[in-house]
Amino acid sequence: MYLLILLLPLLSFLVCFIFGRKVGNEGVKIVSVFSLSLTLFIVCILWKDINMNQEIFYIKLWDWINVGVFNSFIHIQYDQIVATMLMLIIFISLLVHLYSTFYMEGDPHLPRFMSYLSLFTLFMIILVTSSNLIQLSIGWEGVGLCSYLLINFWYTRIQANKSAIKAMVVNKVGDLGMLLAMMLIFLSLGSLNYNVLIPTSYFLDYPYIMDFSCFLLLIGVIGKSAQIGLHMWLPDAMEGPTPVSALIHAATMVTAGVFLIIRLSPFFEKSPTVLIIIIFVGSLTAFFSASIGLVQNDIKKVIAYSTCSQLGYMVMICGFSYYDCGLFHLFNHGFFKALLFLSAGSIIHAIRDEQDIRKMGNLIYYLPFSYICILVGSISLMGLPFLTGFYSKDLILEIANTEYIYSYALWLGLLSASFTAFYSFRLICYVFINKTQLNKINLMKIHEGGWNLIICLFALCILSVSIGYFTQFTIIRDYEPLIILNNDKMKPLYLTILGVLLCLLFFFNITLWWKSFTKKSFKKVYSFVLGSWYFDYLINHYIVKPFMKVGFNVSYKFIDNQILEFFGPTIIYNKVTSKANELSKFYSGNISIYTFMFIAFIYCFLIKF
């Protein structure tokens, strides 16, 4: 029965992609939503069996590669980590499919869109249920492919083309690190199967090999989970339809990197050096992304940078060796992040595809349900008691508070929490409280979405309040009591409230904002943050352009133009042409000569044999 968890999304993809035009838009909607609903039902049974009965399931399918000492299997394993990930993936994917039946209504390519969503879900399931790194790489590359297809779904838009290519190219940098890590692991340990390489790593004689392998794996994590340095693709991925953004940010693509660290946690534990790097990368990503979110004006990009920041928290806590806490925050984050994106999609759809928050305002009276959803999602994102985000985010900061040697991680996390509160309420103020900036035509046509949209938002709203409380004792293990003073425990709450108050102060006191903005130093900081810390500029100027220059001068001008063309088309074309002219002299058109040559050839052939 548990094999259907893979087969049903595959069936949905095949029906929508191959027979989409025959079954029609309504048929595509029914098939995809029904398939994911049945999959969710099976996953709920799996969740109960694993968490209540403490069972682990291992399904052997077939041997894939068996060459000498190199062997790889297509086997599926279900344990607590996999069950938690599947619950998140399938539930969010089901809601995104259902949401898309309204949001993408009228799109002529709806069957293709629904098939891509199902394929995205399938590859993510393959990734998390894999029993070895080879099988994981199928899902790893598959989600990258699907992200390209979905970001570029509206392929007639040049910005969508550019964003999809950027996502693919940046992820390929991380994928290269992943590939090199797999090669090094196999050469040093002789296997890529989890149940072999993890126990074998304890007997490795050369620790530096373990450090280097984990570092290469970390490069893959940085690319897939949009950590600092390879984060540039994630905000640009907002060019795709809003349901795609929800699926990428909440349940699939970006969660793959964090899952890899959690899945190979015993492997990473053998490399304390890489764990320190993980703490640094995660904490800096959380702070860096939150600071950029302060000044974004695109409603989807504000939420996108919040995703990047929350992923930083997850990576950071894995560096502290609390992997189940990272999994818990990953699970909780998926629900309120999907709520934020789908609520933003409801707003965008209601005001005719406007995404600039400066052009909205006063929507609290026109879209009250969307306002409640955005508010609940934002409060959960901020980690205020006692919503879903609080149970995992507050725990992460509490754990960081006990590791005094890594105090920089704590303070970067606390500042990120304050920034998160600021930009979350800034978004609410601009969209719902500010005076309306909409034109009269858009204002008169504002309306809430259909029943399928409202059901999705309502379900996510309830779960964004409650799911963290109900799953905190099933996902995370029993920790020893953390020795934290009350004042230290209240730091996240104090700084979060401070961020909210500063936002309200700046929003309602225009004079204070204007005085701050006229200062030269503030302008420089604002420009620096608005430019995303100039990462794109630095990478383009110092990495991309020099490589393109070298490639043009060496590869194109020298190798292609001067060597290959000289020995290839130039020489071959001239020689073939001249020889053909010489050979043409033997063509006389006299049939008697041809007959004589044919008889002579036959005679010589018979004498020889």
Side-chain angles (χ1 to χ4, degrees):
M1 179 181 66
Y2 294 140
L3 193 58
L4 291 174
I5 295 174
L6 277 83
L7 295 179
L8 288 171
L10 176 61
L11 175 65
S12 175
F13 163 69
L14 293 175
V15 171
C16 295
F17 189 76
I18 299 175
F19 305 105
R21 295 300 179 189
K22 293 185 178 180
V23 300
N25 285 3
E26 294 302 319
V28 164
K29 295 175 185 177
I30 294 172
V31 168
S32 58
V33 173
F34 178 76
S35 298
L36 269 296
S37 301
L38 188 55
T39 307
L40 180 62
F41 175 74
I42 299 172
V43 168
C44 290
I45 298 174
L46 175 69
W47 171 280
K48 180 184 73 68
D49 289 342
I50 288 177
N51 286 284
M52 295 183 65
N53 304 328
Q54 298 299 313
E55 295 185 35
I56 297 178
F57 301 96
Y58 194 78
I59 303 175
K60 298 181 179 181
L61 297 180
W62 65 82
D63 291 350
W64 183 22
I65 303 173
N66 195 352
V67 180
V69 295
F70 180 58
N71 55 76
S72 182
F73 316 107
I74 299 295
H75 293 175
I76 300 172
Q77 68 178 51
Y78 295 113
D79 53 23
Q80 186 177 12
I81 297 174
V82 175
T84 303
M85 290 296 298
L86 286 177
M87 181 65 75
L88 173 66
I89 294 165
I90 302 302
F91 189 85
I92 298 299
S93 180
L94 170 61
L95 293 184
V96 168
H97 277 74
L98 182 60
Y99 181 94
S100 300
T101 59
F102 171 81
Y103 192 87
M104 301 297 290
E105 183 69 40
D107 194 292
H109 302 288
L110 179 64
R112 179 165 61 89
F113 182 77
M114 300 300 279
S115 69
Y116 287 167
L117 289 182
S118 298
L119 184 63
F120 208 164
T121 306
L122 171 65
F123 276 125
M124 194 62 193
I125 295 172
I126 292 173
L127 190 152
V128 300
T129 58
S130 61
S131 62
N132 57 76
L133 287 175
I134 295 288
Q135 188 177 338
L136 179 140
S137 66
I138 299 173
W140 188 272
E141 297 295 339
V143 293
L145 168 66
C146 291
S147 67
Y148 172 82
L149 295 173
L150 286 167
I151 295 169
N152 197 30
F153 177 75
W154 289 320
Y155 52 82
T156 55
R157 297 169 53 185
I158 187 63
Q159 194 58 42
N161 304 153
K162 292 162 65 176
S163 298
I165 293 171
K166 184 176 183 180
M168 179 66 77
V169 171
V170 173
N171 269 275
K172 283 303 157 191
V173 178
D175 294 349
L176 179 60
M178 178 76 174
L179 179 62
L180 293 174
M182 291 167 58
M183 295 168 62
L184 183 59
I185 290 170
F186 177 74
L187 290 174
S188 57
L189 299 178
S191 178
L192 293 173
N193 300 319
Y194 298 151
N195 57 356
V196 175
L197 70 91
I198 291 176
T200 308
S201 64
Y202 288 92
F203 303 101
L204 191 62
D205 296 330
Y206 304 101
Y208 69 89
I209 295 180
M210 185 66 68
D211 291 339
F212 197 47
S213 300
C214 291
F215 180 74
L216 290 172
L217 288 172
L218 179 60
I219 293 176
V221 171
I222 291 173
K224 198 65 73 179
S225 289
Q227 298 298 286
I228 188 168
L230 295 176
H231 66 280
M232 298 80 66
W233 68 270
L234 190 60
D236 289 348
M238 298 302 97
E239 289 298 325
T242 303
V244 175
S245 303
L247 193 59
I248 290 177
H249 287 247
T252 54
M253 180 81 167
V254 296
T255 63
V258 181
F259 170 79
L260 179 65
I261 298 180
I262 297 169
R263 178 82 280 175
L264 296 179
S265 54
F267 198 74
F268 279 94
E269 281 298 296
K270 299 295 292 181
S271 179
T273 304
V274 174
L275 289 179
I276 295 173
I277 298 174
I278 289 174
I279 294 173
F280 179 77
V281 169
S283 58
L284 188 58
T285 301
F287 173 77
F288 156 80
S289 304
S291 67
I292 298 176
L294 294 172
V295 297
Q296 294 298 308
N297 297 313
D298 187 311
I299 186 171
K300 288 172 68 175
K301 284 193 175 182
V302 174
I303 304 172
Y305 276 108
S306 75
T307 300
C308 206
S309 181
Q310 298 304 306
L311 290 167
Y313 280 111
M314 301 171 204
V315 171
M316 179 187 74
I317 200 61
C318 289
F320 286 114
S321 299
Y322 288 87
Y323 301 97
D324 48 353
C325 187
L327 179 64
F328 186 39
H329 192 51
L330 173 63
F331 182 78
N332 290 346
H333 170 263
F335 292 98
F336 60 76
K337 185 51 55 71
L339 175 63
L340 285 170
F341 266 114
L342 297 185
S343 300
S346 174
I347 296 169
I348 293 168
H349 188 273
I351 57 178
R352 303 181 70 177
D353 298 329
E354 180 59 65
Q355 295 184 198
D356 194 330
I357 60 176
R358 297 170 297 181
K359 297 180 181 179
M360 301 180 190
N362 205 33
L363 295 183
I364 187 173
Y365 299 108
Y366 301 95
L367 302 172
F369 181 70
S370 297
Y371 166 70
I372 293 172
C373 293
I374 285 277
L375 182 63
V376 170
S378 297
I379 294 176
S380 188
L381 172 67
M382 291 157 50
L384 289 180
F386 289 92
L387 278 79
T388 290
F390 165 78
Y391 294 98
S392 53
K393 185 177 179 180
D394 194 67
L395 180 59
I396 289 174
L397 294 174
E398 286 184 20
I399 293 171
N401 198 27
T402 61
E403 304 288 344
Y404 299 109
I405 193 173
Y406 304 119
S407 58
Y408 67 89
L410 170 65
W411 284 106
L412 288 176
L414 290 173
L415 287 173
S416 303
S418 184
F419 290 168
T420 301
F422 188 99
Y423 65 66
S424 296
F425 263 81
R426 175 176 175 267
L427 185 148
I428 291 172
C429 290
Y430 267 100
V431 175
F432 295 103
I433 300 175
N434 193 24
K435 293 181 180 179
T436 184
Q437 305 297 319
L438 292 169
N439 60 55
K440 186 177 180 180
I441 296 175
N442 289 350
L443 200 62
M444 293 179 64
K445 294 184 177 181
I446 292 179
H447 61 281
E448 293 282 8
W451 65 268
N452 34 7
L453 183 145
I454 291 175
I455 286 176
C456 296
L457 295 183
F458 180 77
L460 288 170
C461 198
I462 296 298
L463 293 172
S464 296
V465 175
S466 60
I467 194 69
Y469 173 79
F470 290 111
T471 59
Q472 60 180 319
F473 300 113
T474 59
I475 297 178
I476 59 175
R477 64 176 184 264
D478 295 330
Y479 292 125
E480 295 180 3
L482 299 173
I483 304 174
I484 304 176
L485 299 175
N486 286 331
N487 291 335
D488 293 336
K489 189 176 179 63
M490 297 298 288
K491 281 179 185 176
L493 180 61
Y494 292 152
L495 288 173
T496 299
I497 294 174
L498 177 63
V500 173
L501 294 178
L502 284 175
C503 175
L504 296 177
L505 179 63
F506 274 90
F507 184 78
F508 289 107
N509 192 340
I510 302 298
T511 305
L512 178 62
W513 172 256
W514 182 250
K515 286 180 179 178
S516 301
F517 194 77
T518 52
K519 293 181 179 180
K520 191 174 182 180
S521 58
F522 183 84
K523 283 184 177 180
K524 290 182 178 179
V525 173
Y526 184 85
S527 299
F528 176 72
V529 177
L530 187 62
S532 303
W533 290 28
Y534 299 126
F535 261 93
D536 281 327
Y537 172 79
L538 293 173
I539 290 174
N540 287 334
H541 188 73
Y542 292 106
I543 298 178
V544 176
K545 287 184 178 179
F547 271 94
M548 289 182 67
K549 189 175 182 180
V550 171
F552 180 79
N553 292 328
V554 175
S555 177
Y556 177 70
K557 297 295 290 183
F558 178 67
I559 298 176
D560 286 356
N561 280 9
Q562 299 183 28
I563 298 178
L564 295 180
E565 286 194 15
F566 179 76
F567 290 103
T570 303
I571 297 294
I572 292 176
Y573 174 77
N574 292 336
K575 292 295 183 182
V576 168
T577 304
S578 61
K579 293 299 180 183
N581 291 333
E582 293 177 5
L583 290 172
S584 65
K585 296 176 182 178
F586 292 94
Y587 179 75
S588 64
N590 194 331
I591 193 169
S592 60
I593 295 176
Y594 296 154
T595 304
F596 173 76
M597 293 179 65
F598 175 73
I599 293 171
F601 173 78
I602 294 296
Y603 176 76
C604 294
F605 181 80
L606 291 175
I607 287 178
K608 184 174 180 63
F609 293 98

